[in-house]
Amino acid sequence: MQRVKLLLLLLVVPFVFSCEEKHDVAGLDRFSQSQLVVWNRHLSEIIIKDIFSPPVASRIYSYPNIAAYEALAPAYPAYQSLSSQLNGLVNVPQPEEGKELYLPVSSIIAFSTVGQKLVLDELKVQEYEAAYLAQVKEIGIREEVLHNSIDYGRQVGEHILAWAKKDGYVETRALTRHVVSNEPGAWQPTAPDYMPAVEPHWNKIRPFAMDSAAQCKPKTPTAFDSLATSDFYKDAMEVYEIVKNIDDEKLLIARFWDDNPNVSYTTGHVMYFKQKLTPPGHWMSITSSAIRKNKLDMMEAAETYVMVATALADGFISCWDAKYAYNSIRPDTYIERYIDADWDPILQTPPFPEYPSGHSVISAAAATVLTHKFGDNYAFVDSTQLAIGLPTRTFNSFNEAAIEVGESRIYGGIHFRPACDLGAEQGKTVGNLILTKLRTRRMDQTAQL
């Protein structure tokens, strides 16, 4: 009888252990460290295919990264919610006591929940989410923990979506188009597509940290004048001569920072389009590179992304407020009208007013935040444009890259110098405001961000 009991025990014990759920926390932690980089890359891929304009793209990057940050922060006592710091964001859901969760999963689910509602290709985000959860299960996570984590991520995501719906974006879709002025110095649609002005009401979007769209106004640009002795004419002649005598290095710089999301090409009677990364997408790529290089944990990565994305978004709101206030003529129009009718810019002129330079504004804003995080002498290699056949570029600092952005717009023939130089000043103001107003760490904690 004793031998029968022992045999039963030997049979039962292996069965019990074989039914235990695999829960590999160490494996999940290793996997999770890179996931925000992966998901921001997913988001960029979808933004490119959906052909969103740069301002809209900045909005799309911001909300999912805020959701990811908010869902992850409760796992880290040193960090705090941005609730009541970001305009209109209050009462972000907190994890329910007594429920076991793995918040890195909640963070990605929050990102996915928000992201899929902001893009056109919602199904693609759902595919990415399904593949992500399959990987999590393969590594090993208890079913109850996974269920709780997904539920909490959805709660945070839905809360962020409800907040996003009140930012004025939907309302601006129904507003009237920009009315083209016949004033000599006013913006006019440009070749080859003569598209209407993009997002003329973007200043009505609720800022993330700024008090208003007009809080970080740029300095007044050079006054319009068509006389050959005027400062404006001299600004135009600088662009004209650079483009006319462009060398290989300046041409490469212009194309490297082009970041026009939808460039048209005409062959015979056929027109086709090429989709590329947007300016905010380029800086999110640079941010991802720094996160990978410094091997930041998931929480610090979330913190970095949310600060950069917020700076980019408010940078566009601030810039677009000034663009339509000044409604400035583009070099393409001015030079063909007053200097050389046969002149063409290197880059395709974007469809919105010239002053200030949007890429200069948001690049300076992002560089200011990244410099605060990683230091002023942070050397890096930007490989963002390898995907479109352009070589890497090396920079000694984020600010050096931002300065090159401004020069690239002049080399490309799409901006006058004041739009780039004064735009960069405006962007620095936005970046410093973000750093001043948003506090990711609790008061008793020290941090670079």
Side-chain angles (χ1 to χ4, degrees), residues 181-352:
S181 170
N182 291 321
E183 292 295 318
W187 176 82
Q188 299 284 327
T190 51
D193 304 325
Y194 298 95
M195 290 178 60
V198 168
E199 299 296 345
H201 305 288
W202 200 251
N203 66 342
K204 294 179 175 63
I205 301 295
R206 178 188 60 208
F208 286 84
M210 296 188 301
D211 293 339
S212 69
Q215 184 177 2
C216 301
K217 287 183 177 181
K219 295 177 182 176
T220 303
T222 307
F224 172 82
D225 201 320
S226 60
L227 293 177
T229 56
S230 69
D231 288 338
F232 199 97
Y233 192 93
K234 292 174 183 176
D235 288 341
M237 280 300 298
E238 178 190 17
V239 178
Y240 174 73
E241 292 293 346
I242 285 174
V243 170
K244 189 176 179 180
N245 302 291
I246 193 103
D247 58 34
D248 290 343
E249 175 66 6
K250 289 178 180 177
L251 180 61
L252 176 60
I253 290 171
R255 297 202 183 284
F256 186 84
W257 292 106
D258 182 17
D259 296 326
N260 188 334
N262 194 36
V263 179
S264 64
Y265 299 88
T266 301
T267 302
H269 297 290
V270 178
M271 178 180 286
Y272 64 96
F273 296 86
K274 184 176 182 179
Q275 284 74 49
K276 294 185 295 182
L277 206 61
T278 60
H282 197 144
W283 279 96
M284 292 298 280
S285 173
I286 291 171
T287 302
S288 294
S289 175
I291 288 170
R292 288 195 305 269
K293 181 179 177 180
N294 289 275
K295 299 179 180 178
L296 300 189
D297 65 26
M298 191 177 185
M299 188 66 240
E300 202 168 357
E303 175 188 43
T304 305
Y305 276 129
V306 83
M307 295 293 282
V308 172
T310 304
L312 292 169
D314 271 8
F316 271 109
I317 293 170
S318 178
C319 177
W320 252 242
D321 179 67
K323 273 189 180 292
Y324 287 95
Y326 288 107
N327 195 31
S328 299
I329 192 171
R330 284 279 184 173
D332 193 0
T333 307
Y334 185 93
I335 291 171
E336 288 186 2
R337 185 180 294 171
Y338 300 110
I339 298 175
D340 182 351
D342 295 324
W343 183 88
D344 288 311
I346 299 294
L347 302 179
Q348 197 167 114
T349 301
F352 34 79

Side-chain angles (χ1 to χ4, degrees), residues 387-405:
I388 60 171
L390 295 177
T392 62
R393 293 192 65 77
T394 301
F395 300 98
N396 295 311
S397 69
F398 298 111
N399 287 324
E400 183 182 273
I403 290 170
E404 185 174 278
V405 168

Side-chain angles (χ1 to χ4, degrees), residues 127-141:
E127 288 176 13
Y128 286 138
E129 182 184 295
Y132 164 77
L133 290 174
Q135 288 175 291
V136 168
K137 291 176 182 178
E138 184 176 348
I139 293 167
I141 186 169

Side-chain angles (χ1 to χ4, degrees), residues 8-18:
L8 287 173
L9 182 61
L10 291 174
L11 290 172
V12 169
V13 171
F15 177 76
V16 170
F17 278 101
S18 68

